[in-house]
Amino acid sequence: MKKSLFETELDHLNRYDRCFEECRHLATQIGGLLLARSSVMKGNLPLQPLRVACQVTFDQIKSQRASLGDANSSDQHALSHIDRAVALLKTSMDALSDDLLSGAESCKNALAAAIRELRFAASTTPGLSMVDLTCACCAIPDADLNLKTRPGVIS
């Protein structure tokens, strides 16, 4: 039985969503790898399992992206952002070396650029979203944002 246009589009959106979610997951894994390599952790965490996890996730992303094939004209813009994010995530992974300092800055820069690309994709595509931590306790302090109010204080 042939799929309806709706079923075909729904299948495509589900695969699209999985690819996007895996990209977000990889960005989180790379952030964890950066944290594990930081001087704060003093190399107390084994890096190899984290690197392997990143590579496994990246391989899943490549497979999922390949399954999407060519983008529909309506998806081309968002998919181009996802493709750039995938390339930047790979650059970020490749930038890390085994010592604690080498490559960290280029890894962070590529990771930040990848996250920006994912935000662009999410902003143009219904159903995709990035987690917004601007109101979380770990968000940038108000002083850094030049805000003069605190929760519960009215000015």
PDB file of all heavy atoms in Angstrom, residues 22 26 29 52-64 85-91 93:
ATOM      1  N   GLU A  22      20.207  14.170  17.516  1.00  0.00           N
ATOM      2  CA  GLU A  22      21.542  13.569  17.639  1.00  0.00           C
ATOM      3  C   GLU A  22      22.632  14.637  17.577  1.00  0.00           C
ATOM      4  O   GLU A  22      23.643  14.540  18.272  1.00  0.00           O
ATOM      5  CB  GLU A  22      21.772  12.507  16.570  1.00  0.00           C
ATOM      6  CG  GLU A  22      20.988  11.233  16.791  1.00  0.00           C
ATOM      7  CD  GLU A  22      21.377  10.475  18.051  1.00  0.00           C
ATOM      8  OE1 GLU A  22      22.570  10.445  18.405  1.00  0.00           O
ATOM      9  OE2 GLU A  22      20.471   9.917  18.693  1.00  0.00           O
ATOM     10  N   LEU A  26      25.327  15.221  20.435  1.00  0.00           N
ATOM     11  CA  LEU A  26      26.772  15.253  20.208  1.00  0.00           C
ATOM     12  C   LEU A  26      27.384  16.539  20.766  1.00  0.00           C
ATOM     13  O   LEU A  26      28.464  16.510  21.357  1.00  0.00           O
ATOM     14  CB  LEU A  26      27.099  15.095  18.724  1.00  0.00           C
ATOM     15  CG  LEU A  26      28.587  15.113  18.365  1.00  0.00           C
ATOM     16  CD1 LEU A  26      29.357  14.025  19.119  1.00  0.00           C
ATOM     17  CD2 LEU A  26      28.765  14.952  16.862  1.00  0.00           C
ATOM     18  N   GLN A  29      27.811  15.961  24.331  1.00  0.00           N
ATOM     19  CA  GLN A  29      28.916  15.035  24.584  1.00  0.00           C
ATOM     20  C   GLN A  29      30.269  15.731  24.444  1.00  0.00           C
ATOM     21  O   GLN A  29      31.178  15.498  25.250  1.00  0.00           O
ATOM     22  CB  GLN A  29      28.853  13.845  23.618  1.00  0.00           C
ATOM     23  CG  GLN A  29      27.753  12.867  23.929  1.00  0.00           C
ATOM     24  CD  GLN A  29      27.707  11.750  22.909  1.00  0.00           C
ATOM     25  OE1 GLN A  29      27.747  11.992  21.697  1.00  0.00           O
ATOM     26  NE2 GLN A  29      27.615  10.518  23.393  1.00  0.00           N
ATOM     27  N   VAL A  52      35.018   7.726  22.188  1.00  0.00           N
ATOM     28  CA  VAL A  52      34.305   6.671  21.459  1.00  0.00           C
ATOM     29  C   VAL A  52      32.819   7.000  21.387  1.00  0.00           C
ATOM     30  O   VAL A  52      32.186   6.859  20.337  1.00  0.00           O
ATOM     31  CB  VAL A  52      34.551   5.285  22.115  1.00  0.00           C
ATOM     32  CG1 VAL A  52      33.622   4.237  21.542  1.00  0.00           C
ATOM     33  CG2 VAL A  52      36.009   4.868  21.936  1.00  0.00           C
ATOM     34  N   ALA A  53      32.245   7.467  22.500  1.00  0.00           N
ATOM     35  CA  ALA A  53      30.827   7.833  22.507  1.00  0.00           C
ATOM     36  C   ALA A  53      30.542   8.949  21.505  1.00  0.00           C
ATOM     37  O   ALA A  53      29.543   8.905  20.778  1.00  0.00           O
ATOM     38  CB  ALA A  53      30.401   8.252  23.911  1.00  0.00           C
ATOM     39  N   CYS A  54      31.437   9.941  21.448  1.00  0.00           N
ATOM     40  CA  CYS A  54      31.281  11.033  20.472  1.00  0.00           C
ATOM     41  C   CYS A  54      31.326  10.492  19.047  1.00  0.00           C
ATOM     42  O   CYS A  54      30.512  10.869  18.195  1.00  0.00           O
ATOM     43  CB  CYS A  54      32.372  12.089  20.663  1.00  0.00           C
ATOM     44  SG  CYS A  54      32.175  13.138  22.111  1.00  0.00           S
ATOM     45  N   GLN A  55      32.258   9.597  18.778  1.00  0.00           N
ATOM     46  CA  GLN A  55      32.382   9.048  17.423  1.00  0.00           C
ATOM     47  C   GLN A  55      31.164   8.212  17.044  1.00  0.00           C
ATOM     48  O   GLN A  55      30.686   8.288  15.913  1.00  0.00           O
ATOM     49  CB  GLN A  55      33.662   8.211  17.299  1.00  0.00           C
ATOM     50  CG  GLN A  55      33.960   7.783  15.885  1.00  0.00           C
ATOM     51  CD  GLN A  55      34.119   8.954  14.922  1.00  0.00           C
ATOM     52  OE1 GLN A  55      34.880   9.869  15.172  1.00  0.00           O
ATOM     53  NE2 GLN A  55      33.379   8.929  13.819  1.00  0.00           N
ATOM     54  N   VAL A  56      30.644   7.442  17.987  1.00  0.00           N
ATOM     55  CA  VAL A  56      29.443   6.631  17.725  1.00  0.00           C
ATOM     56  C   VAL A  56      28.266   7.547  17.387  1.00  0.00           C
ATOM     57  O   VAL A  56      27.527   7.304  16.424  1.00  0.00           O
ATOM     58  CB  VAL A  56      29.122   5.719  18.930  1.00  0.00           C
ATOM     59  CG1 VAL A  56      27.722   5.130  18.827  1.00  0.00           C
ATOM     60  CG2 VAL A  56      30.158   4.613  19.053  1.00  0.00           C
ATOM     61  N   THR A  57      28.101   8.599  18.163  1.00  0.00           N
ATOM     62  CA  THR A  57      27.015   9.548  17.898  1.00  0.00           C
ATOM     63  C   THR A  57      27.213  10.224  16.551  1.00  0.00           C
ATOM     64  O   THR A  57      26.255  10.387  15.781  1.00  0.00           O
ATOM     65  CB  THR A  57      26.923  10.601  19.023  1.00  0.00           C
ATOM     66  OG1 THR A  57      26.742   9.932  20.270  1.00  0.00           O
ATOM     67  CG2 THR A  57      25.776  11.554  18.799  1.00  0.00           C
ATOM     68  N   PHE A  58      28.446  10.603  16.236  1.00  0.00           N
ATOM     69  CA  PHE A  58      28.710  11.240  14.940  1.00  0.00           C
ATOM     70  C   PHE A  58      28.376  10.285  13.790  1.00  0.00           C
ATOM     71  O   PHE A  58      27.781  10.697  12.787  1.00  0.00           O
ATOM     72  CB  PHE A  58      30.165  11.702  14.846  1.00  0.00           C
ATOM     73  CG  PHE A  58      30.454  12.424  13.571  1.00  0.00           C
ATOM     74  CD1 PHE A  58      30.035  13.729  13.396  1.00  0.00           C
ATOM     75  CD2 PHE A  58      31.124  11.794  12.528  1.00  0.00           C
ATOM     76  CE1 PHE A  58      30.280  14.404  12.209  1.00  0.00           C
ATOM     77  CE2 PHE A  58      31.373  12.456  11.342  1.00  0.00           C
ATOM     78  CZ  PHE A  58      30.947  13.766  11.179  1.00  0.00           C
ATOM     79  N   ASP A  59      28.722   9.013  13.933  1.00  0.00           N
ATOM     80  CA  ASP A  59      28.397   8.023  12.894  1.00  0.00           C
ATOM     81  C   ASP A  59      26.886   7.880  12.722  1.00  0.00           C
ATOM     82  O   ASP A  59      26.394   7.744  11.599  1.00  0.00           O
ATOM     83  CB  ASP A  59      29.037   6.673  13.225  1.00  0.00           C
ATOM     84  CG  ASP A  59      30.555   6.703  13.126  1.00  0.00           C
ATOM     85  OD1 ASP A  59      31.111   7.628  12.494  1.00  0.00           O
ATOM     86  OD2 ASP A  59      31.189   5.790  13.715  1.00  0.00           O
ATOM     87  N   GLN A  60      26.148   7.948  13.831  1.00  0.00           N
ATOM     88  CA  GLN A  60      24.684   7.892  13.738  1.00  0.00           C
ATOM     89  C   GLN A  60      24.144   9.111  13.000  1.00  0.00           C
ATOM     90  O   GLN A  60      23.217   8.997  12.193  1.00  0.00           O
ATOM     91  CB  GLN A  60      24.067   7.809  15.133  1.00  0.00           C
ATOM     92  CG  GLN A  60      24.299   6.497  15.832  1.00  0.00           C
ATOM     93  CD  GLN A  60      23.854   6.528  17.287  1.00  0.00           C
ATOM     94  OE1 GLN A  60      23.642   7.585  17.874  1.00  0.00           O
ATOM     95  NE2 GLN A  60      23.737   5.339  17.868  1.00  0.00           N
ATOM     96  N   ILE A  61      24.724  10.262  13.272  1.00  0.00           N
ATOM     97  CA  ILE A  61      24.301  11.490  12.592  1.00  0.00           C
ATOM     98  C   ILE A  61      24.529  11.365  11.088  1.00  0.00           C
ATOM     99  O   ILE A  61      23.656  11.713  10.289  1.00  0.00           O
ATOM    100  CB  ILE A  61      25.049  12.721  13.152  1.00  0.00           C
ATOM    101  CG1 ILE A  61      24.582  13.029  14.570  1.00  0.00           C
ATOM    102  CG2 ILE A  61      24.858  13.943  12.256  1.00  0.00           C
ATOM    103  CD1 ILE A  61      25.434  14.045  15.300  1.00  0.00           C
ATOM    104  N   LYS A  62      25.709  10.885  10.699  1.00  0.00           N
ATOM    105  CA  LYS A  62      25.999  10.726   9.266  1.00  0.00           C
ATOM    106  C   LYS A  62      24.982   9.795   8.617  1.00  0.00           C
ATOM    107  O   LYS A  62      24.495  10.066   7.519  1.00  0.00           O
ATOM    108  CB  LYS A  62      27.415  10.187   9.055  1.00  0.00           C
ATOM    109  CG  LYS A  62      28.494  11.207   9.297  1.00  0.00           C
ATOM    110  CD  LYS A  62      29.859  10.785   8.835  1.00  0.00           C
ATOM    111  CE  LYS A  62      30.199   9.352   9.107  1.00  0.00           C
ATOM    112  NZ  LYS A  62      31.580   8.981   8.818  1.00  0.00           N
ATOM    113  N   SER A  63      24.657   8.712   9.285  1.00  0.00           N
ATOM    114  CA  SER A  63      23.695   7.749   8.749  1.00  0.00           C
ATOM    115  C   SER A  63      22.302   8.382   8.637  1.00  0.00           C
ATOM    116  O   SER A  63      21.617   8.221   7.621  1.00  0.00           O
ATOM    117  CB  SER A  63      23.652   6.515   9.654  1.00  0.00           C
ATOM    118  OG  SER A  63      22.640   5.646   9.269  1.00  0.00           O
ATOM    119  N   GLN A  64      21.891   9.074   9.677  1.00  0.00           N
ATOM    120  CA  GLN A  64      20.576   9.712   9.648  1.00  0.00           C
ATOM    121  C   GLN A  64      20.503  10.801   8.586  1.00  0.00           C
ATOM    122  O   GLN A  64      19.493  10.938   7.900  1.00  0.00           O
ATOM    123  CB  GLN A  64      20.239  10.288  11.021  1.00  0.00           C
ATOM    124  CG  GLN A  64      19.952   9.222  12.037  1.00  0.00           C
ATOM    125  CD  GLN A  64      19.920   9.750  13.446  1.00  0.00           C
ATOM    126  OE1 GLN A  64      20.252  10.907  13.709  1.00  0.00           O
ATOM    127  NE2 GLN A  64      19.532   8.897  14.378  1.00  0.00           N
ATOM    128  N   ALA A  85      26.323  22.572  10.935  1.00  0.00           N
ATOM    129  CA  ALA A  85      26.510  22.167  12.337  1.00  0.00           C
ATOM    130  C   ALA A  85      27.245  20.838  12.414  1.00  0.00           C
ATOM    131  O   ALA A  85      28.161  20.676  13.228  1.00  0.00           O
ATOM    132  CB  ALA A  85      25.169  22.071  13.053  1.00  0.00           C
ATOM    133  N   VAL A  86      26.891  19.890  11.553  1.00  0.00           N
ATOM    134  CA  VAL A  86      27.552  18.578  11.545  1.00  0.00           C
ATOM    135  C   VAL A  86      29.037  18.747  11.232  1.00  0.00           C
ATOM    136  O   VAL A  86      29.895  18.163  11.901  1.00  0.00           O
ATOM    137  CB  VAL A  86      26.875  17.617  10.546  1.00  0.00           C
ATOM    138  CG1 VAL A  86      27.696  16.346  10.355  1.00  0.00           C
ATOM    139  CG2 VAL A  86      25.466  17.265  11.011  1.00  0.00           C
ATOM    140  N   ALA A  87      29.344  19.563  10.238  1.00  0.00           N
ATOM    141  CA  ALA A  87      30.748  19.791   9.876  1.00  0.00           C
ATOM    142  C   ALA A  87      31.502  20.453  11.035  1.00  0.00           C
ATOM    143  O   ALA A  87      32.641  20.084  11.335  1.00  0.00           O
ATOM    144  CB  ALA A  87      30.831  20.651   8.618  1.00  0.00           C
ATOM    145  N   LEU A  88      30.875  21.406  11.702  1.00  0.00           N
ATOM    146  CA  LEU A  88      31.517  22.084  12.829  1.00  0.00           C
ATOM    147  C   LEU A  88      31.678  21.154  14.034  1.00  0.00           C
ATOM    148  O   LEU A  88      32.677  21.231  14.752  1.00  0.00           O
ATOM    149  CB  LEU A  88      30.723  23.332  13.217  1.00  0.00           C
ATOM    150  CG  LEU A  88      30.841  24.491  12.229  1.00  0.00           C
ATOM    151  CD1 LEU A  88      29.719  25.493  12.433  1.00  0.00           C
ATOM    152  CD2 LEU A  88      32.205  25.154  12.369  1.00  0.00           C
ATOM    153  N   LEU A  89      30.711  20.279  14.257  1.00  0.00           N
ATOM    154  CA  LEU A  89      30.841  19.300  15.339  1.00  0.00           C
ATOM    155  C   LEU A  89      32.017  18.370  15.074  1.00  0.00           C
ATOM    156  O   LEU A  89      32.777  18.032  15.982  1.00  0.00           O
ATOM    157  CB  LEU A  89      29.541  18.512  15.509  1.00  0.00           C
ATOM    158  CG  LEU A  89      28.374  19.289  16.109  1.00  0.00           C
ATOM    159  CD1 LEU A  89      27.071  18.508  15.962  1.00  0.00           C
ATOM    160  CD2 LEU A  89      28.637  19.644  17.561  1.00  0.00           C
ATOM    161  N   LYS A  90      32.187  17.958  13.826  1.00  0.00           N
ATOM    162  CA  LYS A  90      33.328  17.112  13.462  1.00  0.00           C
ATOM    163  C   LYS A  90      34.632  17.882  13.687  1.00  0.00           C
ATOM    164  O   LYS A  90      35.593  17.333  14.227  1.00  0.00           O
ATOM    165  CB  LYS A  90      33.190  16.660  12.001  1.00  0.00           C
ATOM    166  CG  LYS A  90      34.332  15.814  11.507  1.00  0.00           C
ATOM    167  CD  LYS A  90      34.396  14.482  12.216  1.00  0.00           C
ATOM    168  CE  LYS A  90      35.429  13.586  11.543  1.00  0.00           C
ATOM    169  NZ  LYS A  90      35.931  12.577  12.457  1.00  0.00           N
ATOM    170  N   THR A  91      34.677  19.144  13.281  1.00  0.00           N
ATOM    171  CA  THR A  91      35.859  19.975  13.499  1.00  0.00           C
ATOM    172  C   THR A  91      36.163  20.082  14.988  1.00  0.00           C
ATOM    173  O   THR A  91      37.318  19.984  15.404  1.00  0.00           O
ATOM    174  CB  THR A  91      35.644  21.386  12.910  1.00  0.00           C
ATOM    175  OG1 THR A  91      35.424  21.260  11.504  1.00  0.00           O
ATOM    176  CG2 THR A  91      36.827  22.297  13.169  1.00  0.00           C
ATOM    177  N   MET A  93      35.335  17.937  17.368  1.00  0.00           N
ATOM    178  CA  MET A  93      35.847  16.641  17.842  1.00  0.00           C
ATOM    179  C   MET A  93      37.306  16.461  17.443  1.00  0.00           C
ATOM    180  O   MET A  93      38.118  15.995  18.240  1.00  0.00           O
ATOM    181  CB  MET A  93      35.023  15.491  17.245  1.00  0.00           C
ATOM    182  CG  MET A  93      33.664  15.314  17.853  1.00  0.00           C
ATOM    183  SD  MET A  93      32.617  14.104  16.986  1.00  0.00           S
ATOM    184  CE  MET A  93      33.717  12.813  16.514  1.00  0.00           C
TER     185      MET A  93
END
